Amino acid sequence: MAGFNQDELLELQENELEALRAIYMEDYQPITIPSAWKTVPTTPEFRLHLLPQEEELKRYVSVDLRVKFTKTYPRTIPDLKIENPRGLSPAQVQELTKLVLTQAKTLVGQEMMYELASFVQEYITLNNASLFIKHTSFHEQMLQRVEQTTKDEKERAIEAMNKQQELEMEAKLNADRTLHQKIHEDLMRKEEMIKEEKKRQKELKNKQQEQFAGDYSDGGRSGSGGGSGYGLDAVCVNFEVPIMISPEDSQ
């Protein structure tokens, strides 16, 4: 904003005026100062007719916020005046004038008229001389709002904490489910490995038995050749040679 030239500042002012006319409609009143020289004012000037925010107070309370932009607005605050107060005491008008100027200083560097108008409407809603409203100072009303804000912040903090606890609990449950699933998968994998090992051992045993049976069969067939294949020599008997049996042996 500080780097804007005068033409850019004028464009910002015109854009803000257009927005104010659209928002406040007939309550936006441009001010034209008659001049003998019929010169066009170099800075915009207007009046906003402002009512309370509560419907039942609008018949009894209102003010006009008179505004005149400076050439360097919004880098500087505009000229501000409270006019035509209705339903406000002189002390309340004086307090409102000071508060509006203070509020404007906090908004330097940005378009501020809508915020200032809303601030005025809030003030006259909470502070007025009407018999239909309980009188409470603006300071007390601000303290109540701060207290309510603090209460809301505490509730939001508690809600956020509960939400965080729910998320942590959900994460823990998911982790437990993941761990349980992993353990289950490990057990299934080990059982499958045991089954495979038993199957392999059985197949190996069957293969060994088949090999043993084959070797035994081959040994029987080759026994007449002098070797059985198992380290045993076959005995051959020749029945053509007479065998003498002693009588003593027969006894």
Side-chain angles (χ1 to χ4, degrees):
M1 187 69 67
F4 284 11
N5 58 38
Q6 190 60 44
D7 291 337
E8 291 171 331
L9 290 175
L10 289 176
E11 183 178 357
L12 286 175
Q13 293 177 12
E14 286 298 329
N15 291 338
E16 185 173 8
L17 291 174
E18 183 177 353
L20 291 173
R21 283 191 290 266
I23 294 171
Y24 294 100
M25 303 176 67
E26 66 273 8
D27 290 330
Y28 172 88
Q29 304 165 1
I31 297 175
T32 303
I33 305 299
S35 173
W37 300 99
K38 296 182 180 181
T39 59
V40 178
T42 56
T43 57
E45 188 172 0
F46 58 93
R47 184 184 290 113
L48 294 176
H49 183 64
L50 302 174
L51 300 173
Q53 295 170 336
E54 295 184 9
E55 191 67 31
E56 62 271 17
L57 292 175
K58 293 181 179 180
R59 294 175 55 190
Y60 310 102
V61 181
S62 66
V63 296
D64 291 341
L65 178 61
R66 183 166 178 167
V67 183
K68 183 178 181 181
F69 285 168
T70 61
K71 291 183 178 180
T72 55
Y73 172 84
R75 289 190 302 187
T76 57
I77 65 173
D79 295 332
L80 300 168
K81 293 181 181 179
I82 300 296
E83 296 183 339
N84 306 319
R86 186 165 61 98
L88 273 70
S89 67
Q92 289 171 334
V93 173
Q94 185 177 4
E95 181 185 31
L96 176 58
T97 300
K98 292 179 180 180
L99 290 172
V100 169
L101 291 174
T102 300
Q103 184 71 9
K105 291 177 182 179
T106 66
L107 299 172
V108 168
Q110 59 180 304
E111 294 90 333
M112 65 182 74
M113 291 317 307
Y114 179 77
E115 285 79 5
L116 291 180
S118 298
F119 180 85
V120 171
Q121 287 180 296
E122 182 178 2
Y123 178 91
I124 65 177
T125 301
L126 300 175
N127 302 269
N128 54 73
S130 172
L131 298 177
F132 302 95
I133 183 172
K134 178 180 178 181
H135 291 286
T136 306
S137 69
F138 186 67
H139 179 68
E140 291 174 346
Q141 293 289 341
M142 292 293 290
L143 289 178
Q144 292 176 4
R145 287 168 51 196
V146 170
E147 182 179 356
Q148 182 63 38
T149 301
T150 304
K151 181 179 178 181
D152 294 341
E153 289 177 350
K154 289 181 179 179
E155 291 177 353
R156 287 194 294 269
I158 293 174
E159 183 179 355
M161 183 176 64
N162 292 336
K163 183 66 175 178
Q164 181 64 26
Q165 290 177 347
E166 291 177 2
L167 292 174
E168 291 176 355
M169 181 62 68
E170 183 178 355
K172 185 177 183 300
L173 292 175
N174 290 335
D176 291 343
R177 284 194 293 266
T178 302
L179 179 60
H180 178 76
Q181 181 67 22
K182 184 177 180 181
I183 293 174
H184 178 71
E185 291 175 355
D186 289 342
L187 290 174
M188 295 295 294
R189 185 163 49 251
K190 289 179 180 180
E191 290 179 0
E192 188 65 24
M193 291 173 64
I194 292 172
K195 290 180 181 179
E196 290 293 332
E197 180 62 21
K198 287 181 178 180
K199 181 179 178 181
R200 190 183 68 83
Q201 292 288 348
K202 184 177 180 180
E203 291 176 351
L204 180 61
K205 183 178 180 181
N206 292 337
K207 184 176 180 181
Q208 290 175 345
Q209 289 176 348
E210 291 175 357
Q211 183 178 359
F212 178 80
D215 291 344
Y216 181 78
S217 175
D218 293 341
R221 289 192 300 270
S222 61
S224 59
S228 63
Y230 297 98
L232 298 177
D233 294 334
V235 179
C236 297
V237 180
N238 190 353
F239 292 98
E240 295 181 355
V241 180
I243 299 175
M244 299 300 293
I245 300 176
S246 173
E248 294 178 359
D249 294 334
S250 62
Q251 295 177 358

